[in-house]
Amino acid sequence: MLTVPVRQLGESERRAVERLLDRDPFAGAQVAERVAARGLAWWRADGRILGYGARRQLESICWVGGNLTPILADPTAVAAFADLLAGEERICSSIVGRADAVLGLWERLSTHWGPARDVRPNQPLLATDALPGVPVDPEVRQVRAGEVDALFPAAVAMYTEEVGASPLIDDGGRSYRRRVTELVRAGRAYARFVDGRVVFKAELAVVTRRTAQVQGVWVDPQWRGRGIATAAMAAVVRDALLRVAPTVSLYVNDFNLPARRVYRRCGFRPVGTLATVLF
């Protein structure tokens, strides 16, 4: 398989990167947000972007940082990225992106970076640009700055349940709490409170000019099965569409059938399949 050299991209190629990200606005949302906020200069970013393709014809990119994210990577680009990355120490905590590219990378990198803690090969990527056609929960609202202490235990519970590891392990949760606080201050954290306790939560973890990506959706186990999730999620989608971005997107594990039913009721439609490799 013939490949062209992979190179690290700099600020001079930002326009080309942005054009490429616009071609995959949902799977590339996290990378697009970082590029918009910090550009491509390595000293301003928390990662670097590798490019594949001729200098005047960028075909694919790969974000290398806390996550490894290939964008529009066909098999030749996957091979080229893997050849370079196999010689480097792994710094990412996950590989996430379109399933074909992620699984192709992992097939080539597993002998160098393995073993993985978990591989999730089928995560439906969903999006909507229409206001929900179901009633919204009027008690779901943006979390206020003084409510971080109430939100944080729910966020920890969600993360531990979803990822299979506690965010408190590495530094006692300081970095994770900073992230939760940032989302609250930015008006991107939502919750329903009952007697001061969070029974539903969700965040707009990624926001670009093309989409607001929802993550961290969680219902208190004691409230599951009561039918609150659809109206609560509809409230988040409605506010995000009216206030934040022209579309709302998210991805979900294929085996999480209750969540998939909720998202379908809220108007989400499939726009692809992601995969995640967790370390």
Side-chain angles (χ1 to χ4, degrees):
M1 184 178 294
L2 295 176
T3 64
V4 299
V6 170
R7 64 190 188 280
Q8 182 168 328
L9 304 180
E11 191 66 21
S12 64
E13 294 180 278
R14 180 169 177 170
R15 290 285 184 88
V17 168
E18 290 173 339
R19 285 194 295 270
L20 192 145
L21 287 166
D22 276 342
R23 291 168 51 195
D24 200 0
F26 302 125
Q30 190 172 59
V31 177
E33 182 184 55
R34 286 167 168 157
V35 169
R38 300 189 179 184
L40 274 68
W42 64 267
W43 51 270
R44 290 189 301 182
D46 53 356
R48 70 192 201 272
I49 292 183
L50 304 177
Y52 174 83
R55 187 160 294 277
R56 294 181 179 273
Q57 189 175 356
L58 189 63
E59 298 176 27
S60 174
I61 61 174
C62 188
W63 171 268
V64 184
N67 301 319
L68 181 68
T69 303
I71 307 293
L72 296 177
D74 66 11
T76 57
V78 166
F81 290 137
D83 286 347
L84 176 67
L85 294 167
E88 300 182 1
E89 181 180 357
R90 176 181 64 81
I91 62 171
C92 62
S93 61
S94 67
I95 308 174
V96 60
R98 294 276 180 181
D100 52 354
V102 167
L103 298 176
L105 279 172
W106 183 233
E107 181 179 5
R108 292 172 175 272
L109 292 173
S110 57
T111 57
H112 305 278
W113 287 3
R117 182 164 52 82
D118 193 12
V119 177
R120 300 177 181 180
N122 182 8
Q123 297 176 302
L125 177 63
L126 312 173
T128 182
D129 60 2
L131 293 174
V134 295
V136 303
D137 185 341
E139 296 185 40
V140 172
R141 59 172 174 79
Q142 291 172 259
V143 180
R144 302 178 185 119
E147 295 172 324
V148 172
D149 286 345
L151 177 63
F152 188 65
V156 170
M158 176 282 303
Y159 186 101
T160 303
E161 183 176 338
E162 171 65 21
V163 178
S166 172
L168 307 180
I169 293 175
D170 291 335
D171 61 358
R174 289 187 296 275
S175 59
Y176 188 61
R177 187 182 176 90
R178 282 196 299 270
R179 173 60 174 163
V180 171
T181 301
E182 289 170 358
L183 291 170
V184 170
R185 288 175 176 169
R188 289 161 55 170
Y190 300 83
R192 178 180 175 184
F193 293 86
V194 175
D195 297 327
R197 177 174 147 212
V198 174
V199 300
F200 167 86
K201 64 167 284 293
E203 293 93 37
L204 305 181
V206 177
V207 173
T208 73
R209 63 186 179 85
R210 302 289 298 276
T211 194
Q213 194 163 95
V214 179
Q215 295 180 18
V217 180
W218 180 84
V219 176
D220 186 311
Q222 295 183 16
W223 282 74
R224 294 174 190 175
R226 301 193 191 186
I228 72 167
T230 297
M233 189 66 196
V236 173
V237 172
R238 178 179 175 80
D239 182 73
L241 287 174
L242 293 177
R243 187 177 61 88
V244 181
T247 69
V248 179
S249 57
L250 55 82
Y251 59 98
V252 59
N253 292 314
D254 63 324
F255 53 80
N256 193 345
L257 298 181
R260 293 177 68 180
R261 285 193 292 270
V262 167
Y263 301 145
R264 185 166 56 250
R265 292 177 190 134
C266 290
F268 285 91
R269 66 188 188 281
V271 292
T273 302
L274 302 191
T276 301
V277 179
L278 295 168
F279 299 104

